[in-house]
Amino acid sequence: MKREDTQIHIKHATLMPEEKAILRLRLFEYIQSSHQEHPLFRYGRFWLFLRVATSGVVGIVLMGAGMSYAAENALPGDMLYAVKVEVNERLRTWAAVSGEAQAEWSVVRTTRRLEELERLATTGSLNDTLREEIASRFDQNTEAASKAIVSLKKDRITAAADTSSRLESSLRVHERMLVQVAEERADISSQIHVILDTVRKKAESVSEIRQEIEKEIADADDGVVPIEDTATSSAELLPGQEVEIEVLDKTDER
């Protein structure tokens, strides 16, 4: 048979139905025999992979917890200090949901800055860079504490008074401690006195807030009505209405 005739025969050749069925069956058997499940999803290997992954996650969590715990004793300049202020303290800030909890934590955080300063000054590790870092954080933390106390005053004025009193006491105590450290460490006395001025100013500011809150509590206990409230009430009187005010002279009563 010529080549051209062979090509024409192949082109027009067709399979019988029986041949098609046999070919389809063999193709299906080949697909089934060659199909393999992915190793990851095999029963044994899947659970092995799951155990390894779980162990890795637990290890990371434990390592992070250990690092977080160790960072609590870190000082400015230490490698873990960033973990202390940027991770631990931020988490505690987010965990303080209520206004009272936020105010209490702000007092603790402010005190931590002063304790760090005292530890650095006592060991002679305080320098200009660390002093500026602590002073900046101390200023921010004290401002946040004052705002938290003022905000707490709106709902729980007694708790605000107690918190402001604790903050002021903490500032006064650490002020005296810094004075003592400055006397003992003459080499860094000038750096300590720079922060001492800031501590004194913050203590005075907190004292003013405390006195204002205590005055409001005293006025509320005495039943004193603010002048602006009385003026507002008088302004709301309708035309023709009169208000009778009876003034009793205590000397006459006697």
Side-chain angles (χ1 to χ4, degrees), residues 55-87:
S55 300
V57 172
V58 172
I60 293 174
V61 171
L62 292 177
M63 183 176 63
M67 183 180 298
S68 176
Y69 178 79
E72 282 298 300
N73 293 322
L75 295 174
D78 294 345
M79 183 175 61
L80 293 179
Y81 187 72
V83 177
K84 177 180 180 179
V85 295
E86 298 297 339
V87 178

Side-chain angles (χ1 to χ4, degrees), residues 2-15:
K2 295 183 180 181
R3 184 176 181 179
E4 292 80 8
D5 296 336
T6 303
Q7 292 178 349
I8 294 174
H9 178 72
I10 294 174
K11 183 177 180 181
H12 295 282
T14 58
L15 295 175

Side-chain angles (χ1 to χ4, degrees), residues 225-237:
V225 180
I227 297 177
E228 57 270 19
D229 293 344
T230 306
T232 303
S233 301
S234 301
E236 294 176 353
L237 294 176

